[in-house]
Amino acid sequence: MEILAGEGVALVKVGESRDVVESRVGPPVHPGRRSRAVYDTDPGLVITYQADETVELVEIGYGGEEVFFEGVQLTYRFIDDVVAELAARGHRAVPFDIGFSFEPGFAIFSMSSLSASELDPGAPVDDPRRVVEGVSVAPFEYFREPTEEEIEAYVRGLES
Protein backbone atom coordinates (compact mmCIF):
# COMPACT_ATOMS: atom_id res chain seq x y z
CA MET A 1 0.00 0.00 0.00
CA GLU A 2 1.45 3.35 -1.03
CA ILE A 3 0.93 6.31 1.32
CA LEU A 4 0.07 9.78 0.07
CA ALA A 5 2.19 11.92 2.40
CA GLY A 6 0.11 14.47 4.29
CA GLU A 7 -3.10 13.05 2.78
CA GLY A 8 -3.60 9.39 3.72
CA VAL A 9 -3.90 6.39 1.38
CA ALA A 10 -6.02 5.67 -1.69
CA LEU A 11 -8.86 4.27 0.46
CA VAL A 12 -8.91 7.01 3.12
CA LYS A 13 -7.84 10.65 3.03
CA VAL A 14 -7.53 13.28 5.74
CA GLY A 15 -10.62 15.49 5.77
CA GLU A 16 -13.03 12.88 4.41
CA SER A 17 -16.18 12.14 6.38
CA ARG A 18 -16.66 8.88 8.25
CA ASP A 19 -19.63 8.09 5.97
CA VAL A 20 -17.47 8.42 2.85
CA VAL A 21 -14.72 6.27 4.39
CA GLU A 22 -17.14 3.57 5.49
CA SER A 23 -18.84 3.52 2.08
CA ARG A 24 -15.44 2.38 0.73
CA VAL A 25 -14.04 0.15 3.49
CA GLY A 26 -17.14 -0.97 5.36
CA PRO A 27 -17.91 -0.56 9.04
CA PRO A 28 -15.19 -0.68 11.70
CA VAL A 29 -14.44 -4.04 13.31
CA HIS A 30 -15.54 -2.75 16.74
CA PRO A 31 -19.07 -1.58 17.51
CA GLY A 32 -20.06 2.00 18.24
CA ARG A 33 -18.95 5.38 16.95
CA ARG A 34 -15.64 6.31 18.50
CA SER A 35 -12.96 8.81 17.57
CA ARG A 36 -10.65 5.90 16.61
CA ALA A 37 -11.89 3.14 14.37
CA VAL A 38 -10.16 -0.05 13.20
CA TYR A 39 -11.00 -1.33 9.74
CA ASP A 40 -10.56 -4.83 8.32
CA THR A 41 -8.36 -3.96 5.35
CA ASP A 42 -5.00 -5.31 4.18
CA PRO A 43 -2.97 -3.87 5.74
CA GLY A 44 -5.22 -2.87 8.63
CA LEU A 45 -6.20 0.79 8.93
CA VAL A 46 -6.79 2.70 12.16
CA ILE A 47 -8.51 6.00 11.52
CA THR A 48 -8.75 8.84 14.02
CA TYR A 49 -11.76 11.09 13.50
CA GLN A 50 -12.18 14.66 14.68
CA ALA A 51 -15.32 15.77 16.55
CA ASP A 52 -16.98 16.64 13.23
CA GLU A 53 -16.51 13.01 12.05
CA THR A 54 -13.81 13.86 9.48
CA VAL A 55 -10.53 11.97 9.20
CA GLU A 56 -7.71 13.54 11.21
CA LEU A 57 -5.10 10.74 11.04
CA VAL A 58 -4.62 7.54 9.02
CA GLU A 59 -2.52 4.79 10.62
CA ILE A 60 -1.37 1.65 8.86
CA GLY A 61 0.10 -1.35 10.67
CA TYR A 62 2.55 -3.96 9.49
CA GLY A 63 1.35 -7.36 8.40
CA GLY A 64 -0.13 -8.51 5.17
CA GLU A 65 0.62 -5.98 2.46
CA GLU A 66 3.59 -3.75 3.31
CA VAL A 67 3.49 0.06 3.29
CA PHE A 68 5.54 2.20 0.88
CA PHE A 69 6.39 5.86 0.25
CA GLU A 70 7.83 6.80 -3.14
CA GLY A 71 8.76 3.15 -3.64
CA VAL A 72 10.57 2.84 -0.28
CA GLN A 73 9.24 0.01 1.89
CA LEU A 74 8.44 1.51 5.28
CA THR A 75 6.98 -1.32 7.36
CA TYR A 76 8.64 -4.52 8.54
CA ARG A 77 12.17 -3.14 8.13
CA PHE A 78 14.71 -1.86 10.61
CA ILE A 79 13.77 1.71 11.47
CA ASP A 80 17.36 2.98 11.02
CA ASP A 81 17.50 1.50 7.50
CA VAL A 82 14.25 3.23 6.53
CA VAL A 83 15.43 6.57 7.96
CA ALA A 84 18.75 6.25 6.07
CA GLU A 85 17.05 5.41 2.77
CA LEU A 86 14.60 8.29 3.10
CA ALA A 87 17.43 10.67 4.10
CA ALA A 88 19.36 9.65 0.97
CA ARG A 89 16.29 10.77 -1.00
CA GLY A 90 16.29 14.15 0.76
CA HIS A 91 13.65 13.53 3.45
CA ARG A 92 14.67 14.89 6.85
CA ALA A 93 13.70 12.75 9.86
CA VAL A 94 12.49 14.37 13.07
CA PRO A 95 12.83 11.96 16.00
CA PHE A 96 10.11 11.44 18.61
CA ASP A 97 9.76 8.94 21.44
CA ILE A 98 8.81 5.87 19.35
CA GLY A 99 9.91 6.82 15.84
CA PHE A 100 10.47 9.56 13.29
CA SER A 101 8.24 12.02 11.46
CA PHE A 102 8.95 13.37 7.99
CA GLU A 103 8.04 16.76 6.52
CA PRO A 104 5.99 15.48 3.63
CA GLY A 105 3.44 14.45 6.30
CA PHE A 106 3.97 11.00 7.77
CA ALA A 107 5.67 9.18 10.62
CA ILE A 108 7.11 5.71 11.11
CA PHE A 109 7.07 4.06 14.52
CA SER A 110 7.91 1.00 16.55
CA MET A 111 6.11 -0.11 19.69
CA SER A 112 8.96 -2.63 20.20
CA SER A 113 6.59 -5.57 19.93
CA LEU A 114 8.81 -7.10 17.21
CA SER A 115 12.42 -8.04 17.90
CA ALA A 116 15.37 -7.73 15.53
CA SER A 117 15.36 -11.52 15.15
CA GLU A 118 12.07 -11.19 13.20
CA LEU A 119 14.12 -9.71 10.33
CA ASP A 120 17.57 -11.10 11.15
CA PRO A 121 17.40 -14.69 12.46
CA GLY A 122 21.04 -14.41 13.58
CA ALA A 123 20.38 -11.36 15.77
CA PRO A 124 21.24 -11.77 19.46
CA VAL A 125 18.38 -11.67 21.96
CA ASP A 126 19.42 -8.20 23.20
CA ASP A 127 19.76 -6.66 19.69
CA PRO A 128 18.50 -3.06 20.09
CA ARG A 129 17.47 -2.53 16.44
CA ARG A 130 13.81 -1.53 16.18
CA VAL A 131 11.45 -2.72 13.46
CA VAL A 132 8.96 -0.32 11.83
CA GLU A 133 5.56 -1.58 12.96
CA GLY A 134 3.38 1.21 11.65
CA VAL A 135 3.00 4.39 9.66
CA SER A 136 0.88 7.44 10.51
CA VAL A 137 -0.21 9.86 7.80
CA ALA A 138 -1.48 13.42 8.33
CA PRO A 139 -0.34 16.94 7.44
CA PHE A 140 3.14 17.50 8.95
CA GLU A 141 1.74 20.05 11.42
CA TYR A 142 -0.02 17.13 13.16
CA PHE A 143 3.36 15.61 14.10
CA ARG A 144 4.98 18.84 15.27
CA GLU A 145 5.89 18.99 18.95
CA PRO A 146 3.85 21.66 20.77
CA THR A 147 5.64 24.78 21.99
CA GLU A 148 5.84 25.62 25.69
CA GLU A 149 3.26 28.38 25.11
CA GLU A 150 0.84 25.92 23.47
CA ILE A 151 1.23 23.48 26.37
CA GLU A 152 0.64 26.25 28.91
CA ALA A 153 -2.46 27.45 27.03
CA TYR A 154 -3.78 23.89 26.91
CA VAL A 155 -3.27 23.43 30.66
CA ARG A 156 -4.94 26.80 31.38
CA GLY A 157 -7.91 25.68 29.24
CA LEU A 158 -8.22 22.48 31.29
CA GLU A 159 -8.11 24.43 34.54
CA SER A 160 -10.87 26.85 33.55
Side-chain angles (χ1 to χ4, degrees), residues 76 113-121 131:
Y76 208 65
S113 61
L114 295 177
S115 67
S117 64
E118 299 277 343
L119 297 179
D120 178 2
V131 176

Side-chain angles (χ1 to χ4, degrees), residues 94-97 141-147 150-151:
V94 178
F96 64 98
D97 59 344
E141 184 69 15
Y142 181 90
F143 302 107
R144 183 184 60 78
E145 290 290 324
T147 65
E150 290 169 331
I151 293 170

Side-chain angles (χ1 to χ4, degrees), residues 35-160:
S35 65
R36 293 190 75 187
V38 178
Y39 295 94
D40 186 20
T41 56
D42 182 19
L45 295 174
V46 178
I47 309 301
T48 301
Y49 292 97
Q50 299 181 86
D52 67 358
E53 294 285 295
T54 59
V55 175
E56 177 178 39
L57 176 71
V58 177
E59 294 178 282
I60 312 109
Y62 78 94
E65 186 181 341
E66 298 306 338
V67 180
F68 294 82
F69 171 65
E70 295 181 349
V72 174
Q73 182 178 332
L74 302 176
T75 52
Y76 208 65
R77 290 183 62 201
F78 291 119
I79 202 165
D80 291 341
D81 293 346
V82 174
V83 169
E85 189 169 346
L86 290 170
R89 292 174 177 229
H91 299 291
R92 183 177 65 89
V94 178
F96 64 98
D97 59 344
I98 61 169
F100 295 87
S101 60
F102 295 86
E103 272 193 49
F106 69 96
I108 58 174
F109 61 87
S110 174
M111 299 299 291
S112 298
S113 61
L114 295 177
S115 67
S117 64
E118 299 277 343
L119 297 179
D120 178 2
V125 174
D126 60 347
D127 190 319
R129 292 178 293 175
R130 295 181 298 157
V131 176
V132 178
E133 297 171 7
V135 178
S136 300
V137 184
F140 184 67
E141 184 69 15
Y142 181 90
F143 302 107
R144 183 184 60 78
E145 290 290 324
T147 65
E148 286 295 321
E149 293 79 22
E150 290 169 331
I151 293 170
E152 289 172 12
Y154 176 76
V155 170
R156 280 193 304 274
L158 290 176
E159 293 171 344
S160 56

